[in-house]
Amino acid sequence: MKLYEPIAAPAQARRSALQPPAFSSESPTAALLWAAVIGNAGVVVWLWLRDGGVTRVHGSADLFTSLGRVTGLLAVYLALVQILLLARLPPVERLVGFDRLTVWHRRNGKVCISLVVAHTALITIGYAGSDQVSIPHEFSRLLSSYPGMVTATIGTALMIGVVISSLVIVRSRLPYEAWYFVHLSIYAGIALSYLHQLPTGNEFTTHVYQADYWIALYVFTLVLLVSFRVARPAWRAFKYRLRVADVTSEAPGVVSLRITGRNLDRLKARAGQFMLWRFFSRGTWWQAHPFSLSAAPDGCSLRLTVKDVGGFTHGVRHIAPGTAVLAEGPFGTFTESRRSRPRVALIAGGIGITPIRALFEELAAGPGELALIYRALGVDDFVFRNELTEIAARRGAEIHFIAGDHRDEGGLDLLSSTHLLDLVPDLAEREVFLCGPPAMMSATEASLKGAGVPDNQIHTERFALAA
């Protein structure tokens, strides 16, 4: 049901030029990034070929061994890429967006572990053929005789554990804290692979220049990791001196924390972005969690809003004012920079209202150019209802509060293509920003496309972070 009608208000100045989407695969920076990743993969394959990857193959055993070598080399390379994908490199994150990086991280991880398993199997089969022994016997001999094989086996097991923990069916049942610690083991897995590669890999034992190349890759990755995951957050903690100013109850099970500090305008945070928050209080100091900014940054304070879904979020309401805070970010391209049209529709579901509420406040728009659709299960579940109503009245924006459940007989049509067009008839002509629970977002995206909204006008924010 529609609970609030549009309210007229004085016009607000619109920005003079609308910017294109933040990411384009054709941009020079993106081309340079892809060239670096693909180029180094090409170097890895070229070094394998130069070392006889094809010319030294004289039988099936040689073929399996050679394929085992190249799959192992590519697996290690992709493992290093895996670290860099979520090393929180600001230029890459601004170019691509954290949600897109997370998707790449997940896909790259699956390819990486597939190559690790293929490497193990192919090398064992190849060596067994050369030694003319059974595969189990060869595997046992490798573990007992070859240096670094035990550490390599442990590293492989750790990587497989990370992949398993990332499967949707497993991830949904794991507490965030457990998932976080499992993902930290990827660093140990890669370190153990280095200890295996160093004494046994042909690239290290026979060719100095190849050893130097691989060592350079490891060192480059380590420097970036330490710089952006350790040194930069520590420096920012000293620079901004963030503290919890107050904790406010917004709705049953929902609280907002207002954070103050020094020179917050230098963070250059935007409405729609999120940060990784670490609160230095008992029981919370060791873990960082992603939460969106729920109010447009004003240079004096930042606000995040958290729904109690158990675990860490259950204790947020007990964080005391004055608690020190470490915040990494801001992250995300779910901002006005992705906008290319003057008219905008914002769609939120549940606690997904947090970044949408900030955008509703910040987006430059005149009367009638901004519309908000906010869906929740029940009337009591709406967060920021008074704030949203006040912003709509002040800005001449259109707002619709939609309460209902798809599981109820009368809620089957909620946010369908027809329903969306009833609410916002010119929806296909608008830029759309969407945030909410995964199932709601998937269904609403399909409805938007059914309503004639092109893919390039639909912008979403999905929270799926790795360690």
Side-chain angles (χ1 to χ4, degrees):
M1 58 180 172
K2 182 165 68 175
L3 302 176
Y4 189 79
E5 295 291 343
I7 297 177
Q12 176 173 319
R14 189 185 344 173
R15 60 180 178 172
S16 58
L18 297 175
Q19 300 177 10
F23 175 77
S24 170
S25 59
E26 299 179 357
S27 70
T29 307
L32 184 62
L33 179 64
W34 280 113
V37 173
I38 296 174
N40 275 286
V43 170
V44 170
V45 174
W46 178 77
L47 291 174
W48 166 73
L49 289 171
R50 194 173 188 276
D51 195 40
V54 174
T55 58
R56 293 183 182 180
V57 174
H58 302 294
S60 60
D62 292 340
L63 176 62
F64 280 114
T65 301
S66 186
L67 291 175
R69 284 181 54 216
V70 71
T71 52
L73 294 173
L74 289 172
V76 172
Y77 174 66
L78 290 185
L80 297 178
V81 172
Q82 187 76 340
I83 289 179
L84 293 181
L85 280 174
L86 284 183
R88 297 167 196 166
L89 309 179
V92 177
E93 196 281 329
R94 284 194 295 268
L95 173 70
V96 179
F98 214 101
D99 52 349
R100 192 190 298 263
L101 282 176
T102 300
V103 172
W104 291 357
H105 176 86
R106 183 170 60 250
R107 292 174 179 172
N108 181 74
K110 292 177 181 178
V111 175
C112 177
I113 196 61
S114 298
L115 289 172
V116 168
V117 173
H119 163 71
T120 303
L122 291 168
I123 283 289
T124 304
I125 294 171
Y127 281 13
S130 296
D131 296 338
Q132 297 186 345
V133 298
S134 67
I135 292 175
H137 182 273
E138 183 65 38
F139 185 74
S140 176
R141 189 180 70 83
L142 288 173
L143 283 177
S144 60
S145 305
Y146 272 64
M149 286 302 298
V150 173
T151 58
T153 302
I154 296 172
T156 299
L158 290 174
M159 291 183 182
I160 292 175
V162 171
V163 172
I164 292 174
S165 73
S166 298
L167 298 176
V168 174
I169 191 171
V170 178
R171 173 72 184 93
S172 62
R173 289 169 171 76
L174 274 181
Y176 177 88
E177 295 79 9
W179 175 80
Y180 178 83
F181 275 115
V182 170
H183 268 68
L184 285 180
S185 66
I186 191 67
Y187 302 120
I190 293 173
L192 291 173
S193 72
Y194 175 81
L195 296 176
H196 162 64
Q197 189 178 18
L198 181 63
T200 62
N202 285 350
E203 288 65 31
F204 282 89
T205 58
T206 61
H207 302 292
V208 174
Y209 68 91
Q210 293 197 37
D212 290 341
Y213 171 75
W214 277 103
I215 290 172
L217 288 181
Y218 278 105
V219 171
F220 177 75
T221 303
L222 180 62
V223 168
L224 288 181
L225 181 67
V226 172
S227 297
F228 290 97
R229 293 294 296 262
V230 180
R232 189 169 184 262
W235 172 74
R236 285 162 62 92
F238 174 78
K239 178 180 179 181
Y240 295 113
R241 306 288 180 89
L242 299 179
R243 293 287 188 276
V244 176
D246 52 61
V247 180
T248 305
S249 178
E250 302 286 0
V254 180
V255 297
S256 288
L257 286 77
R258 187 169 62 89
I259 311 298
T260 56
R262 302 189 309 181
N263 304 314
L264 296 189
D265 56 310
R266 296 182 183 178
L267 278 171
K268 298 181 180 179
R270 302 283 304 277
Q273 292 187 304
F274 67 95
M275 304 178 77
L276 294 175
W277 304 90
R278 187 186 303 270
F279 300 95
F280 289 94
S281 60
R282 185 176 181 179
T284 63
W285 63 269
W286 54 272
Q287 52 187 306
H289 290 258
F291 297 110
S292 293
L293 299 174
S294 60
D298 59 6
C300 298
S301 66
L302 302 169
R303 189 179 74 173
L304 62 144
T305 301
V306 182
K307 181 179 180 179
D308 182 357
V309 292
F312 170 84
T313 58
H314 180 68
V316 169
R317 65 175 61 252
H318 302 299
I319 294 176
T323 298
V325 182
L326 174 62
E328 294 183 63
F331 299 115
T333 58
F334 191 67
T335 66
E336 188 169 21
S337 65
R338 300 180 73 174
R339 177 183 176 190
S340 60
R341 290 170 172 265
R343 301 173 74 82
V344 177
L346 305 173
I347 304 176
I351 199 61
I353 190 60
T354 51
I356 294 293
R357 185 259 179 242
L359 284 169
F360 194 48
E361 180 182 11
E362 183 180 275
L363 287 176
E369 291 184 336
L370 189 59
L372 168 63
I373 301 171
Y374 181 13
R375 180 177 176 270
L377 290 178
V379 174
D380 294 335
D381 296 317
F382 290 117
V383 183
F384 308 131
R385 182 168 180 173
N386 291 338
E387 291 184 16
L388 294 168
T389 301
E390 186 278 326
I391 293 172
R394 171 164 45 87
R395 306 199 59 195
E398 184 179 351
I399 184 169
H400 306 275
F401 292 96
I402 310 297
D405 191 334
H406 281 293
R407 293 169 294 186
D408 296 336
E409 184 176 347
L412 297 177
D413 194 48
L414 292 178
L415 300 192
S416 65
S417 298
T418 302
H419 188 208
L420 289 173
L421 288 171
D422 286 342
L423 297 172
V424 185
D426 64 344
L427 187 63
E429 304 302 320
R430 293 178 181 253
E431 207 89 24
V432 180
F433 290 81
L434 169 66
C435 186
M440 172 266 181
M441 289 182 63
S442 297
T444 306
E445 279 190 84
S447 296
L448 288 169
K449 294 173 184 178
V453 183
D455 287 348
N456 63 356
Q457 290 173 215
I458 303 173
H459 312 294
T460 60
E461 181 67 294
R462 300 180 187 274
F463 304 116
L465 298 179

